[in-house]
Amino acid sequence: MKKIIAANWKTYKTWEQAQASTQELINLLPQDIFADRDVILFPSPVLLKIVAETVRKSRIACGAQNFYPVEEGAFTGETGMAQLRDMGCTHVLVGHSERRHILHEEEQLIAQKVHFALRSGLTPVLCIGETLTERKQGQVEAVLARQLQSALAQDKDASRLIVAYEPVWAIGTGEVAGPNEILAAHASIRQWLEKNLPTGANIPVLYGGSVKPENCSQILLLDNVNGVLVGGASLESEIFSKIVFA
Ligand code: PGA
């Protein structure tokens, strides 16, 4: 399976910085890298248009960090699917831990978003992961299964789907999960997917949480790790390109 290297720019960058970073990344990545790598950038909604326009002639894809599961409508402050399509998005993050924990996004809304994205032709990147308390209580597998079950309840035939395992305690903390922790979590996600989805064996499962050029090669070699979702280390294109080359 081709490895997916995804950048989550969160709430960083101005228009000019986004354009410059995207162009720099295009210049840094030779065409042949895309034989083994898919690269997706997730900028904030106000930067989607400039990033999507800049990557148009490259093989880099552009996705949204969030949307509201409607085509359009009266939903103040939200972005609808028609707007994402118009801007050139092909992917969307759903259920990122910052949206679950800071924006209090509930599992029901996450399921609606996955369903709507699949129906609308976009690829959802469903983010799941346990908190430190849940890990200490030995609940990792149960939490992952619950999050998968609730997010995919209506979409048991989903084939165009990416899952990202992002332990909450590893996001933005510099504390990357250890190889055994990643192996165990990815094995349990793969097992759930294979048991519950006809295409479960082919769904890419990414790892996210403090991925850096120094630790990514080891992570990408682990069983059932089909790519990485990178926050902090994706902001500078030169650093991010090292992860793409890993
Ligand atoms: P991080 O973020 O790489 O800065 O830990 C990962 C993410 O939030 O997807």
Side-chain angles (χ1 to χ4, degrees), residues 8 10 96 98 166 170-174 208-211 229-233:
N8 176 5
K10 307 194 179 183
H96 189 278
E98 284 150 17
E166 297 207 302
I171 297 181
T173 57
S210 298
V211 173
L229 177 55
V230 189

Side-chain angles (χ1 to χ4, degrees), residues 1-4 36 190 201-205 226:
M1 212 188 279
K2 237 171 154 181
K3 302 277 189 206
I4 298 171
D36 326 303
R190 176 66 63 211
N202 301 322
I203 289 173
V205 183
N226 309 113

Side-chain angles (χ1 to χ4, degrees), residues 227-243:
V228 285
L229 177 55
V230 189
S234 73
L235 293 171
E236 285 190 32
S237 291
E238 213 195 318
I239 297 177
F240 182 63
S241 71
K242 291 186 183 152
I243 299 176

Side-chain angles (χ1 to χ4, degrees), residues 10 12 30-31 76 85 90 105 108 138 153 167 181 214 236:
K10 307 194 179 183
Y12 293 102
Q31 277 303 312
T76 303
R85 254 197 314 267
T90 50
E105 205 162 285
Q108 198 189 351
E181 292 167 327
E214 301 77 51
E236 285 190 32

Side-chain angles (χ1 to χ4, degrees), residues 94-98 100-101 105-112 114 126-131 134 139-154 156 161 163-168 171 185 188-189 192-193 196:
V94 181
H96 189 278
S97 80
E98 284 150 17
R100 289 180 196 257
H101 297 286
E105 205 162 285
E106 307 250 330
E107 292 194 334
Q108 198 189 351
L109 180 58
I110 292 168
Q112 283 169 12
V114 170
L126 171 64
C127 304
I128 56 174
E130 81 288 356
T131 62
E134 288 164 336
Q139 291 175 4
V140 178
E141 239 181 82
V143 168
L144 298 177
R146 192 200 69 226
Q147 290 176 341
L148 286 164
Q149 176 60 39
S150 88
L152 297 169
Q154 301 176 74
K156 288 289 170 60
L161 168 74
V163 174
Y165 169 59
E166 297 207 302
V168 179
I171 297 181
S188 86
I189 292 169
W192 190 94
L193 292 172
N196 291 281

